[in-house]
């Protein structure tokens, strides 16, 4: 039987877009190039298009089996993404074995935390109608921009945008993207770490007071010393090497966040409300003061939906192939996470405002629960709530600090062309932990800091993704998609400026906020 030449069996059309050169990282990680628009059409060529049923029909069974196996292999590795070898040395991309479960843990840990506890403070200035409306609009808006970020992770053939700054540079240009994205993302990570030290240290102090009671020594630790204790615990946990290695901590953070959020609002609404409670928005001496307070309150609402600066990083921990792109498990995990986030944020905001009204202290619902009902609730239940908050703050500190650790190590590996040793890595994390501690001691304004953080970092969540979609995906000019994203983006920028001004005003006039806490007799 005359054998047909092999070149007749497999003839690949010459096309410059058939594949992308591959670079294997030292860890052997590789992922495929996402399909382009042309590949989606029926006439476009793919690495397996020549292995069709029509082609296989005249071939014998053994050869058919070989070619079918080859087709499966090519579908896995036929579209290869060009990777940077340095990524295998950095904590975000060092491990790429993430999955939908890890995505849900990380998103939930990043999305629920202390910012939920101060949402009733925003309602005290906004009232029922505007408070619920602003919270609902912010939730829907940020869910849409999260979907955009997930889709843009592999939007350009042959490239994975593993970090938020990388995606911004691809959309806005190298220099402009760096200036636009680097400051708010680093500020969000560092500011969140600072706020976590504040709330974590204060909660540890309250937990100690509840558990120890009158048996405590005559010289208890000061608030600053509790900040130091909490910071030391954060530094110990930060020695875990990469983002995937803290998946267990993120699971603990997610469980504790759901649990204490539920306990806080249930305990609050189950107790008798203060007799002087009122649901009218707080009135301030002047019209300008009222406007700035409302802007700060809206900034607190915006800050409740943090975590978008970590979306690209979380997705970068997942393997990606032609058959199994990373955006599928990422979006699946994100949907589950944000369903539980809604179940946490809305009841805390609404239940907390119902229980305390405009008597809500500036520290949030946790301070109100302790101040108004510390003698009405069993000590064990109150202590458990505070302990869960501490565990959640410890877990959240790790995931929000990971982009900063990644930046430190990227600078080191770029200069030395070698991975960080364990001592260098530990030194970076100890340095960052104590810098956050000193900032927290210098700026102990929790609710005011939340409003300012929400204003300054609002474009990361609400504005930049809309601009990136237009600039990278390039929808038809003057189409609904084009108008919709441009309008959302510029609205986000305008709100960012307004909320930042409100946050600065609130920090300068923090005494106006603090005086509204009237503890019971």
């Amino acid at each position: 039987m005359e054998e047909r030449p092999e070149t007749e069996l497999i003839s690949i059309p010459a096309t410059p877009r058939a594949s992308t050169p591959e670079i294997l990282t030292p860890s052997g990680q590789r992922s495929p190039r996402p399909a382009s628009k042309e590949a989606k059409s029926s006439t476009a060529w793919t690495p397996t298009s020549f292995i069709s049923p029509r082609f296989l029909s005249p071939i014998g069974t053994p050869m058919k089996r070989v070619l079918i196996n080859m087709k499966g292999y090519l579908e896995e590795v036929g579209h290869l993404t060009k990777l940077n070898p340095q990524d295998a040395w950095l904590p975000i991309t060092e491990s790429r074995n993430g999955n939908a479960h890890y995505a849900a843990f990380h998103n939930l840990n990043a999305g629920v935390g202390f910012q939920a506890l101060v949402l009733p403070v925003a309602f005290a200035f906004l009232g029922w109608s505007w408070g619920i409306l602003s919270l609902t609009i912010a939730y829907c808006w940020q869910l849409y921009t999260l979907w955009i970020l997930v889709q843009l992770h592999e939007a350009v053939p042959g490239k994975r945008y593993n970090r938020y700054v990388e995606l911004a540079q691809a959309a806005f240009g190298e220099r402009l993207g760096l200036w636009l994205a680097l400051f708010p993302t680093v500020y969000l990570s560092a500011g969140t770490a600072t706020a976590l030290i504040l709330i974590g240290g204060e909660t540890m102090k309250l937990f100690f007071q509840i558990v120890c009671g009158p048996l405590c020594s005559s010289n208890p630790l000061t608030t600053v010393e509790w900040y130091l204790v909490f910071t030391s615990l954060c530094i110990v946990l930060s020695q875990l090497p990469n983002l995937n290695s803290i998946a267990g901590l993120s699971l603990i953070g997610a469980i504790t966040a759901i649990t204490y959020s539920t306990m806080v609002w249930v305990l609050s609404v189950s107790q008798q409300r203060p007799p002087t409670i009122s649901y009218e928005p707080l009135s301030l001496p002047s019209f300008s003061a009222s406007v700035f307070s409302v802007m700060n309150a809206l900034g607190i609402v915006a800050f409740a939906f943090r975590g978008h600066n970590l979306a690209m990083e979380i997705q970068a921990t997942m393997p990606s192939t032609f058959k199994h792109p990373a955006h599928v498990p990422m979006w699946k995990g994100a949907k589950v996470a944000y369903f539980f986030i809604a179940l946490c944020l809305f009841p805390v905001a609404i239940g907390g405002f119902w229980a305390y009204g405009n008597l809500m202290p500036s520290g949030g619902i946790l301070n109100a629960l302790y101040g108004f009902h510390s003698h009405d609730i069993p000590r064990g239940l109150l202590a458990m709530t505070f302990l869960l908050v501490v565990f959640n703050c410890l877990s959240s500190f790790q995931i929000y600090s990971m982009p900063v650790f990644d930046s430190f190590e990227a600078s080191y590996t770029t200069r030395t062309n070698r991975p960080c040793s364990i001592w260098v890595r530990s030194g970076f994390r100890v340095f960052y932990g104590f810098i956050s501690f000193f900032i927290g001691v210098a700026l102990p304004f929790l609710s005011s800091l939340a409003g300012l953080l929400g204003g300054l970092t609002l474009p990361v969540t609400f504005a930049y993704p809309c601009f990136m979609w237009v600039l990278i995906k390039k929808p038809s000019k003057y189409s609904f998609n084009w108008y919709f994203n441009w309008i959302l983006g510029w609205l986000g920028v305008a709100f960012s400026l307004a909320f930042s001004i409100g946050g600065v005003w609130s920090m300068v006039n923090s005494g106006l906020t603090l005086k509204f806490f009237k503890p019971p007799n």
Side-chain angles (χ1 to χ4, degrees):
M1 179 178 176
E2 183 179 354
E3 295 184 359
R4 298 176 67 183
E6 185 177 352
T7 55
E8 292 182 15
L9 286 176
I10 305 176
S11 58
I12 302 176
T15 173
R17 303 188 64 176
S19 63
T20 303
E22 179 188 13
I23 295 179
L24 289 177
T25 66
S27 60
Q29 301 293 341
R30 62 185 181 182
S31 56
R33 182 172 71 100
S36 60
K37 293 182 180 179
E38 291 83 355
K40 296 179 182 178
S41 65
S42 59
T43 59
W45 181 86
T46 65
T48 59
S49 59
F50 64 90
I51 310 178
S52 61
R54 184 176 179 181
F55 173 80
L56 293 174
S57 57
I59 303 178
T61 302
M63 179 63 72
K64 184 186 296 186
R65 200 173 290 128
V66 170
L67 290 176
I68 289 174
N69 291 336
M70 183 191 299
K71 177 181 179 180
Y73 174 76
L74 289 175
E75 285 179 343
E76 285 291 326
V77 301
H79 287 244
L80 299 171
T81 301
K82 190 174 181 179
L83 300 178
N84 184 357
Q86 186 188 16
D87 282 343
W89 300 338
L90 302 179
I92 287 176
T93 50
E94 188 176 50
S95 172
R96 290 187 187 269
N97 60 354
N99 51 45
H101 299 91
Y102 284 15
F105 301 158
H106 289 315
N107 278 288
L108 190 51
N109 186 31
V112 179
F114 75 92
Q115 76 277 13
L117 302 176
V118 295
L119 276 175
V121 179
F123 274 52
F125 291 95
L126 298 174
W128 279 119
S129 301
W130 287 107
I132 295 175
L133 182 63
S134 61
L135 189 61
T136 304
I137 292 175
Y139 178 81
C140 297
W141 191 346
Q142 62 83 35
L143 198 61
Y144 169 68
T145 55
L146 178 64
W147 176 83
I148 287 178
L149 292 176
V150 171
Q151 298 301 315
L152 291 180
H153 178 75
E154 294 176 290
V156 176
K159 175 69 176 176
R160 290 186 74 175
Y161 298 113
N162 297 318
R163 295 159 185 85
Y164 194 99
V165 175
E166 293 178 6
L167 182 62
Q169 288 178 309
F172 303 116
E174 290 289 331
R175 301 188 66 178
L176 181 60
L178 184 66
W179 280 104
L180 289 177
L182 185 62
F183 172 75
T185 53
V186 172
Y187 184 80
L188 183 59
S189 295
T192 302
T194 300
L196 286 169
I197 289 175
L198 295 177
I199 189 67
E202 291 172 356
T203 307
M204 288 182 73
K205 180 181 178 181
L206 293 176
F207 171 77
F208 182 75
Q209 290 175 353
I210 293 171
V211 173
C212 196
L215 301 178
C216 294
S217 62
S218 57
N219 295 317
L221 295 179
T222 64
T223 303
V224 174
E225 290 171 337
W226 280 113
Y227 292 164
L228 184 59
V229 172
F230 182 83
T231 303
S232 301
L233 293 176
C234 289
I235 291 173
V236 171
L237 292 176
S238 70
Q239 302 308 312
L240 292 171
N242 54 60
L243 189 54
N244 268 340
S245 66
I246 66 170
L249 283 178
S250 291
L251 174 59
I252 294 173
I255 294 173
T256 54
I258 295 173
T259 306
Y260 82 70
S261 297
T262 304
M263 291 179 65
V264 163
W265 74 263
V266 168
L267 290 175
S268 296
V269 300
S270 64
Q271 301 297 318
Q272 186 176 0
R273 290 179 289 177
T276 58
I277 191 173
S278 173
Y279 298 110
E280 292 296 323
L282 289 168
S283 58
L284 294 179
S286 64
F287 175 76
S288 60
S290 299
V291 171
F292 287 135
S293 296
V294 169
M295 292 296 103
N296 182 59
L298 291 173
I300 294 175
V301 173
F303 184 56
F305 300 103
R306 54 179 188 161
H308 283 49
N309 62 310
L310 299 169
M312 312 304 294
E313 285 80 354
I314 294 171
Q315 195 167 346
T317 64
M318 301 179 184
S320 184
T321 64
F322 177 62
K323 289 177 64 176
H324 306 287
H327 70 83
V328 175
M330 176 64 183
W331 183 238
K332 187 182 299 183
K335 286 188 293 185
V336 173
Y338 276 86
F339 170 76
F340 284 104
I341 288 172
L343 292 183
C344 293
L345 298 186
F346 282 87
V348 168
I350 296 172
F353 186 57
W354 182 88
Y356 306 108
N358 57 16
L359 298 177
M360 179 67 60
S362 62
I365 189 173
L366 199 63
N367 285 16
L369 183 66
Y370 182 76
F372 287 101
H373 303 300
S374 58
H375 301 295
D376 304 326
I377 299 174
R379 285 175 52 190
L381 202 57
L382 203 58
M384 182 185 297
T385 305
F386 289 160
L387 186 61
L388 291 173
V389 174
V390 172
F391 286 158
N392 176 257
C393 290
L394 288 171
S395 302
S396 298
F397 185 93
Q398 308 309 318
I399 192 168
Y400 271 92
S401 300
M402 198 59 69
V404 181
F405 299 156
D406 188 83
S407 300
F408 285 161
E409 295 188 31
S411 300
Y412 177 86
T413 55
T414 301
R415 291 173 180 270
T416 62
N417 197 28
R418 62 181 181 183
C420 292
S421 66
I422 187 172
W423 297 109
V424 173
R425 174 172 284 181
S426 298
F428 282 146
R429 301 183 182 198
V430 171
F431 170 77
Y432 174 73
F434 283 111
I435 285 294
S436 301
F437 163 74
F438 287 122
I439 295 175
V441 172
L443 298 173
F445 314 108
L446 179 60
S447 63
S448 300
L449 189 63
L452 182 60
L453 281 171
L456 291 177
T457 61
L458 185 143
V460 173
T461 301
F462 296 97
Y464 291 165
C466 301
F467 293 144
M468 293 172 183
W469 181 264
V470 174
L471 296 173
I472 294 178
K473 287 294 188 178
K474 294 180 171 56
S476 300
K477 202 170 184 180
Y478 307 123
S479 64
F480 173 79
N481 194 354
W482 188 85
Y483 275 117
F484 183 70
N485 285 284
W486 275 118
I487 292 172
L488 279 186
W490 284 114
L491 278 176
V493 172
F495 287 151
S496 175
L497 294 175
F499 299 169
S500 298
I501 295 172
V504 171
W505 178 90
S506 181
M507 289 184 66
V508 173
N509 300 273
S510 57
L512 291 175
T513 307
L514 296 174
K515 73 178 184 180
F516 292 120
F517 178 38
K518 301 176 182 178
N521 295 327

